[in-house]
Amino acid sequence: GTVEPGAIVVGQVALAEGAVVRAGAVVSGADGPVVVAPGAVVEENAVVRGPCVLAERAVVKAAGRVDGS
């Protein structure tokens, strides 16, 4: 997967080939694992916190939030 400059990926995060984490986004597996499937996109300034799975080609829109706990 691709993590753009300015994005933060921390903890138990599995980023599949073709997945993208855009600048300013945060993907945190500190509270549980996060799986970002192929083709999934976490757009600018979005926040994803585990535990959760983003399905294939899922999109977390800009400034969106996913809280898995």
Side-chain angles (χ1 to χ4, degrees), residues 1-65:
T2 301
V3 178
E4 292 183 351
I8 298 171
V9 176
V10 62
Q12 300 176 46
V13 177
L15 193 62
E17 186 173 335
V20 179
V21 180
R22 302 253 185 239
V26 176
V27 180
S28 174
D31 295 326
V34 176
V35 176
V36 184
V41 178
V42 181
E43 292 185 344
E44 294 83 354
N45 303 312
V47 176
V48 177
R49 291 180 46 203
C52 71
V53 175
L54 297 181
E56 191 171 331
R57 295 182 303 206
V59 177
V60 180
K61 297 300 265 181
R65 187 171 179 105

